[in-house]
Amino acid sequence: MWVGRAGRRAAGARWWAAIFVAASVTALAGCASEGRTGGQAAVTTVSTAGTGTGAGSSGAGGARGGAVTRLVNLAPVDRRGQPAKGWTVDGRDDHPDAPIDCGDTSQVSPAPAAVSGNIYFCSPSAAGADTCWPTPQAHRMLCLRDPYSATLAALTAQSLVATVSPPRNPVPLGLVLANGDRCRLRDGGAWGSPVDHPDYAGYYSCGPRDIVWAPQNAPTGGIDRTGGRWTVLVGDVTGPLTTVSVTTADFVTTAP
């Protein structure tokens, strides 16, 4: 269902305002190439999680919890708005007659996982367009729906957009957990709550059933970042919930 700008953007703003509070991740420095499962060739920035004081720091918390969580910056689009090496573009889901809403020249929202500027949150959630880059072609966006795929979706936007700074406290787009689950950040939608924790909300979807849960309005995207090895509470709506370590957390940036 395609919804109008006012309702969808207001709902998105309320959701991300709750998630952004008290998160502490900064842009990471130094670039490296890293192959990813599924043939993904991404320009990334790699560092390690610290003790909750910002990416790239280190401390005793990592030793106590085992190997620290690795932070990765995916960079699928370059500064010219072209797909980076190793990435492909798929335009089959583009619907110019029902364009996505990325804002306009007066009001825009950053992608929640962005650690650099001019990466956009677009709606509706049905389009899977919460992480999009502008291109030289007017109204054309390249959107990363799946952080574990090497494919970008080419989608038509309603309007030209203003520049946007990254969020002060980005949250990962994807999480790889110690149990092998790959989790994708929530992009709106109506989710239930676990039966034993009716006050909890879902923050990440992990496969067909599992969800990362945390109290509503929890800081840091539902992730416990107090140690070098981040953890999350995972389970389905029937419970029980299990604490699982995060091995890798994926943010997004723009390639040179």
Side-chain angles (χ1 to χ4, degrees), residues 98-133:
I100 58 174
D101 178 9
C102 303
D104 51 35
T105 55
S106 62
Q107 183 177 6
V108 291
S109 298
V115 297
S116 61
N118 299 327
I119 307 175
Y120 296 82
F121 173 86
C122 306
S123 61
S125 58
D130 58 346
T131 308
C132 298
W133 287 257

Side-chain angles (χ1 to χ4, degrees), residues 181-210:
D181 279 355
R182 291 177 173 179
C183 308
R184 208 282 189 189
L185 180 66
R186 178 178 179 175
D187 179 14
W191 294 19
S193 298
V195 292
D196 293 334
H197 299 278
D199 57 332
Y200 278 22
Y203 289 81
Y204 288 82
S205 174
C206 309
R209 292 176 59 88
D210 282 347

Side-chain angles (χ1 to χ4, degrees), residues 156-184:
T156 299
Q158 290 180 2
S159 307
L160 298 176
V161 292
T163 58
V164 67
S165 299
R168 289 185 59 188
N169 302 303
V171 293
L173 181 64
L175 302 174
V176 179
L177 306 185
N179 64 4
D181 279 355
R182 291 177 173 179
C183 308
R184 208 282 189 189

Side-chain angles (χ1 to χ4, degrees), residues 32-233:
S33 294
E34 178 180 282
R36 294 171 66 81
T37 303
Q40 180 173 341
V43 178
T44 66
T45 300
V46 181
S47 186
T48 53
T51 57
T53 57
S57 61
S58 61
R64 289 196 301 269
V68 297
T69 297
R70 189 172 50 139
L71 308 186
V72 177
N73 281 1
L74 303 177
V77 180
D78 65 26
R79 294 174 183 170
R80 297 170 294 280
Q82 302 294 337
K85 183 179 179 181
W87 293 81
T88 59
V89 175
D90 186 347
R92 288 178 294 178
D93 287 342
D94 190 23
H95 300 283
D97 57 334
I100 58 174
D101 178 9
C102 303
D104 51 35
T105 55
S106 62
Q107 183 177 6
V108 291
S109 298
V115 297
S116 61
N118 299 327
I119 307 175
Y120 296 82
F121 173 86
C122 306
S123 61
S125 58
D130 58 346
T131 308
C132 298
W133 287 257
T135 72
Q137 184 177 336
H139 301 277
R140 186 176 189 255
M141 290 281 186
L142 296 179
C143 301
L144 179 58
R145 291 169 162 171
D146 181 357
Y148 307 108
S149 167
T151 301
L152 296 159
L155 302 174
T156 299
Q158 290 180 2
S159 307
L160 298 176
V161 292
T163 58
V164 67
S165 299
R168 289 185 59 188
N169 302 303
V171 293
L173 181 64
L175 302 174
V176 179
L177 306 185
N179 64 4
D181 279 355
R182 291 177 173 179
C183 308
R184 208 282 189 189
L185 180 66
R186 178 178 179 175
D187 179 14
W191 294 19
S193 298
V195 292
D196 293 334
H197 299 278
D199 57 332
Y200 278 22
Y203 289 81
Y204 288 82
S205 174
C206 309
R209 292 176 59 88
D210 282 347
I211 291 172
V212 169
W213 302 100
Q216 295 186 34
N217 303 327
T220 68
I223 305 168
D224 183 346
R225 306 184 185 186
T226 55
R229 185 71 159 182
W230 294 356
T231 62
V232 290
L233 281 175

